[in-house]
Amino acid sequence: MLFRSDSDPPPLPPDTPDFLYVGDSVTDPGPGGNNNGQVDSGETFLLEVELRNTTDTAAQDVDFLLISSDPAVLEITEVGHPTTSPAMTTDTVIFEVRLGSVTTARIIAFSFSLTASSGGPWAESLGVHVSTPCPEFEVGKTGRRRG
């Protein structure tokens, strides 16, 4: 069933869970990251996505998927998630993302989806800012020519 974006979505069937995207966060612990709280070129980082089951119905056989078409994303591995989402609870799903080299700082787009035996899919788009290494400078070098 289709509905216009400026109208209300159709009501959910009874006993169907519904999810609300709460937020996401990244960490870059070692050994794949440098633990500076930023996602840097060539790092492996953890992406945590929080979702809230907003209904009085539990979701069973929950499965999550994170994808990106960005060529800098080399591998995405799901680290952990609940298989059941009780009614009116917030759940965290953790993905490990391995990046290749990124030559310019940018936002990398990801698509996140959730399915359950009792409904879905639910989908969300999110972006992660990736930094590039700063050039190294030698102290005392000005770059001026003497002549």
Side-chain angles (χ1 to χ4, degrees):
M1 174 184 314
L2 296 176
F3 58 94
R4 291 179 18 178
S5 61
D6 61 349
S7 65
D8 290 331
L12 291 171
D15 300 324
T16 301
D18 195 22
F19 288 87
L20 173 69
Y21 170 79
V22 175
D24 59 78
S25 63
V26 296
T27 56
D28 61 334
N34 61 4
N35 209 27
N36 69 349
Q38 299 178 34
V39 177
D40 300 314
S41 174
E43 274 192 330
T44 297
F45 65 95
L46 298 178
L47 174 60
E48 297 183 16
V49 180
E50 285 187 87
L51 298 164
R52 180 159 181 81
N53 182 347
T54 61
T55 64
D56 292 330
T57 303
Q60 305 293 326
D61 303 317
V62 179
D63 195 26
F64 301 90
L65 178 65
L66 182 72
I67 59 171
S68 178
S69 61
D70 194 299
V73 177
L74 302 179
E75 182 179 10
I76 300 173
T77 306
E78 186 182 323
V79 176
H81 77 274
T83 56
T84 300
S85 180
M88 304 303 288
T89 60
T90 300
D91 297 308
T92 301
V93 186
I94 303 171
F95 296 94
E96 182 179 83
V97 180
R98 188 169 60 93
L99 292 181
S101 178
V102 175
T103 56
T104 56
R106 66 175 190 266
I107 304 290
I108 293 184
F110 290 90
S111 295
F112 174 81
S113 65
L114 175 156
T115 57
S117 61
S118 50
W122 295 270
E124 187 70 42
S125 296
L126 51 106
V128 173
H129 181 265
V130 178
S131 301
T132 56
C134 292
E136 293 186 26
F137 296 97
E138 291 183 38
V139 175
K141 301 278 184 172
T142 63
R144 290 190 228 157
R145 291 178 24 184
R146 295 183 186 199

